[in-house]
Amino acid sequence: MIWCVLQCHRVANEFVKLDFESHPAIVREISLFIITECIDPDDITKLSSKITAVSSDSTKLVARFAKFEDDYKELKQKHDALDNSLAQHKNAYENYKKARK
C-alpha cells in the first residue's frame, strides 16, 4: 500500500515538473478527449473520403503531367530542328549575298 502511494507521488511530481502539458500520459488523454468530445465522427469520415478523392485526383494528375512532359520533349525537338533549319537558311542567304558582290 505504501509502495502505491509513493508511486503516485512520483508520477504526480513528473506531471508538476512538466506543467501538466507535455507528459506523454497527459498528452495522450487530452488528444483522446479532443477526438471523442470535440470532433464530430462524421467530420472525420467526410475528411477521410475527401482525402481519398484528392489522392485519386493526384494520381490522375501525375499521369497527365507525364504526358505533358512527353509532349514538351517532342515539341522541343521540333523547335530545335526548326531553329537549326533557320540558322542554315540564314547562313545560306549570307553566303548567297557574299557571292553576288
Side-chain angles (χ1 to χ4, degrees):
M1 185 73 164
I2 293 175
W3 181 83
C4 292
V5 171
L6 292 175
Q7 291 302 314
C8 289
H9 285 292
R10 181 184 59 80
V11 173
N13 284 336
E14 289 179 12
F15 290 166
V16 170
K17 189 180 352 175
L18 296 173
D19 292 331
F20 292 92
E21 292 177 356
S22 57
H23 192 277
I26 293 176
V27 170
R28 184 178 62 234
E29 291 304 319
I30 290 174
S31 298
L32 286 173
F33 173 78
I34 289 172
I35 288 173
T36 58
E37 299 299 324
C38 297
I39 299 174
D40 186 13
D42 291 338
D43 290 343
I44 294 174
T45 305
K46 290 175 188 175
L47 187 59
S48 178
S49 64
K50 284 182 182 179
I51 289 171
T52 303
V54 167
S55 178
S56 173
D57 291 347
S58 173
T59 303
K60 292 175 188 174
L61 288 174
V62 167
R64 285 184 67 195
F65 183 74
K67 184 183 178 318
F68 289 147
E69 266 187 320
D70 294 340
D71 291 347
Y72 167 76
K73 288 177 185 176
E74 181 182 339
L75 289 173
K76 178 144 177 44
Q77 288 175 346
K78 288 180 181 179
H79 175 268
D80 290 344
L82 286 172
D83 203 22
N84 288 335
S85 178
L86 179 63
Q88 289 174 355
H89 285 298
K90 281 183 179 180
N91 285 339
Y93 180 68
E94 291 297 323
N95 290 338
Y96 171 75
K97 281 181 15 181
K98 287 180 185 177
R100 289 200 69 193
K101 287 186 182 181

